Amino acid sequence: MIYIGAFIALQVIVLVAYWLMKKNNPQGVLMVAGILMLALSMLLGMHSLSLTETTGTPVFDLFRIIKETFSSNMLRVGLMIMTIGGYVAYMKKIKASDALVYVSMQPLAIFKKFPYIAASIVIPIGQMLFICTPSATGLGLLLVASIFPILVGLGVSRLTAVSVISACTIFDMGPGSANTARAAELVGQNNMLYFVEHQLPLAIPLTILLMIVYYLTNRYFDRKDRQSGRTQPEMVDTKDFKVDIPLIYAILPVLPLFLLIIFSKYVHLFDPPIELDTTTAMFVSLAVSMLFELIRLRSFKAVFVTMKSFWEGMGKVFTNVVTLIVAAEIFSKGLISLGFIDALVEGCTSLGFSGTLVSIVIILILFLAAILMGSGNASFFSFGPLVPSIATKVGMAPVDMILPMQLASSMGRAAS
């Protein structure tokens, strides 16, 4: 029976992929597909809904599961992700993100005679900025406004400049990332521990490898294009990107990260130990940022006006991310209910696949899904909740499977 259910689930996955290719709203697509699979599994007698409290009829229970999924996610990871989004929006509003990018990019002037080294160095700098400003679109726009003209002015092609800018967001990591928050929750760890113990040891050597690959390939293709006459070196005015706020504002986007490191049970600076969670660190950082604004603007009214962007940012993240988490979780529940995961694991093990090979298959599926959806969040949130049960079945630690899945989703989004 599980193979019949898995075949149905596979057809639904193909249908979901088609709908997403047609640019339909991913939340709607995933939620409808998930409810459909849950209903089919109940009709086939394969699965019964696990609810804290039933309505008394299976038809209404299908809708109650949406309510319970919203409630559980808002209590767990939803509020944290919303405060992160609100703080990122506030940093953008007061132009603290601009100050951070401006300060970070100043050292590149040293490499005027080595433009391709300068271009490669943008990758780790941009990755550190991405940890502090976990918005691929926002950081990309900032870097296009600030570092793009600098790199082109140094002598690299426009394609080389935009390629290293896109490479800055290849690895979606850091305690402020929505994917990190979800992954850490799924493996039962806090954001900071997951980031320090698992993400960094993998991302650092991969970033070095990226720098080498981008240096060699960009230099090769730029030289080839110049020889064929397709591109010519061009000079671009680097004065377009200006910062009209005090540069000390550059510390504000990284303040939550510092607070999470300093006030952590893994850093024994205080006795008794003081520990901050991510949501609290965001609110503390917001208070400090408002104090900076009060000193600069000398007006409570003006500070309260800028604070509106924080609440709007929280609302935007609820609309775009939290609803996506809920829809994706219902989609994953539907896949589980039809036995898709059991069939996938059983089929792979019958073919002699080890746990590593099973995880590689899933990672490839997720990578392709991210390219298709154009969203690392959508693909990871769809398949991430399946990891604990799959890892248990194949004898792997959940973190060993979920970490490459998370990075593969952001790589797929960058390649999309």
Side-chain angles (χ1 to χ4, degrees):
M1 181 61 80
I2 64 167
Y3 287 108
I4 295 174
F7 179 70
I8 295 172
L10 190 60
Q11 290 179 308
V12 174
I13 290 172
V14 172
L15 185 61
V16 166
Y18 174 77
W19 281 341
L20 291 173
M21 284 181 65
K22 294 296 183 181
K23 305 299 181 184
N24 288 292
N25 177 262
Q27 285 93 326
V29 170
L30 292 170
M31 186 170 290
V32 169
I35 294 295
L36 175 63
M37 288 188 287
L38 285 168
L40 289 173
S41 69
M42 292 170 66
L43 289 174
L44 293 172
M46 296 179 62
H47 180 75
S48 59
L49 297 178
S50 56
L51 296 168
T52 57
E53 184 180 346
T54 180
T55 63
T57 171
V59 176
F60 290 158
D61 282 349
L62 282 171
F63 294 94
R64 183 176 175 84
I65 200 169
I66 300 175
K67 178 247 186 184
E68 291 198 356
T69 306
F70 260 110
S71 299
S72 62
N73 277 286
M74 285 304 296
L75 288 172
R76 299 195 318 263
V77 74
L79 179 61
M80 175 175 60
I81 293 174
M82 287 170 65
T83 54
I84 292 169
Y87 191 71
V88 169
Y90 189 68
M91 291 297 98
K92 184 177 180 181
K93 177 67 176 179
I94 66 176
K95 299 184 179 180
S97 299
D98 293 27
L100 177 62
V101 171
Y102 182 83
V103 170
S104 301
M105 294 305 169
Q106 295 310 301
L108 290 179
I110 302 171
F111 297 94
K112 288 182 179 179
K113 295 183 179 179
F114 310 98
Y116 291 97
I117 293 179
S120 296
I121 289 175
V122 168
I123 296 174
I125 295 176
Q127 183 63 68
M128 287 187 286
L129 293 172
F130 192 37
I131 291 172
C132 303
T133 309
S135 166
T137 304
L139 180 64
L141 291 172
L142 274 175
L143 294 180
V144 165
S146 58
I147 194 58
F148 176 81
I150 294 174
L151 291 178
V152 175
L154 289 176
V156 304
S157 70
R158 290 175 176 264
L159 278 174
T160 290
V162 295
S163 74
V164 294
I165 288 173
S166 64
C168 295
T169 62
I170 281 181
F171 302 130
D172 183 4
M173 62 179 190
S177 161
N179 275 4
T180 295
R182 186 61 168 150
E185 182 197 18
L186 290 170
V187 299
Q189 296 181 356
N190 65 42
N191 294 16
M192 201 65 205
L193 179 64
Y194 179 72
F195 169 57
V196 173
E197 291 194 358
H198 301 290
Q199 287 182 330
L200 277 182
L202 183 61
I204 289 173
L206 286 177
T207 301
I208 295 171
L209 177 62
L210 270 181
M211 292 172 66
I212 296 171
V213 170
Y214 271 71
Y215 172 81
L216 295 174
T217 55
N218 281 331
R219 190 177 64 166
Y220 170 78
F221 284 112
D222 277 7
R223 186 178 298 166
K224 186 176 180 181
D225 287 346
R226 287 181 185 129
Q227 289 173 351
S228 63
R230 281 181 286 186
T231 61
Q232 297 294 330
E234 52 186 315
M235 299 301 291
V236 176
D237 186 8
T238 61
K239 297 181 180 179
D240 293 337
F241 185 73
K242 296 180 180 179
V243 178
D244 55 2
I245 60 170
L247 292 182
I248 194 173
Y249 270 55
I251 70 172
L252 296 179
V254 300
L255 183 58
L257 186 61
F258 287 151
L259 290 175
L260 287 171
I261 293 172
I262 295 170
F263 299 105
S264 167
K265 63 181 179 181
Y266 306 101
V267 179
H268 304 287
L269 295 179
F270 305 96
D271 188 21
I274 301 174
E275 183 178 4
L276 277 181
D277 60 87
T278 302
T279 303
T280 305
M282 290 296 165
F283 281 120
V284 171
S285 301
L286 174 65
V288 174
S289 302
M290 290 175 65
L291 182 60
F292 272 56
E293 279 290 88
L294 181 61
I295 295 171
R296 182 173 73 94
L297 300 175
R298 301 179 185 278
S299 167
F300 280 103
K301 184 177 181 179
V303 173
F304 293 146
V305 168
T306 60
M307 190 185 179
K308 182 183 176 183
S309 63
F310 180 84
W311 310 118
E312 290 175 343
M314 287 185 70
K316 186 176 180 181
V317 168
F318 176 82
T319 303
N320 296 330
V321 180
V322 176
T323 55
L324 185 57
I325 292 175
V326 172
E329 187 166 321
I330 292 172
F331 177 70
S332 69
K333 288 179 187 292
L335 290 177
I336 293 171
S337 70
L338 284 175
F340 178 77
I341 300 307
D342 291 336
L344 177 64
V345 174
E346 190 174 311
C348 289
T349 52
S350 64
L351 293 172
F353 284 17
S354 64
T356 302
L357 283 176
V358 172
S359 65
I360 289 174
V361 170
I362 297 170
I363 288 165
L364 286 173
I365 293 172
L366 192 141
F367 177 73
L368 294 173
I371 293 178
L372 175 69
M373 297 177 183
S375 167
N377 288 348
S379 59
F380 181 70
F381 291 157
S382 299
F383 292 94
L386 308 176
V387 168
S389 63
I390 297 175
T392 301
K393 293 178 185 297
V394 298
M396 288 184 67
V399 70
D400 292 338
M401 185 176 288
I402 207 163
L403 178 59
M405 281 179 61
Q406 184 206 338
L407 295 182
S409 68
S410 60
M411 292 172 72
R413 189 255 314 133
S416 178

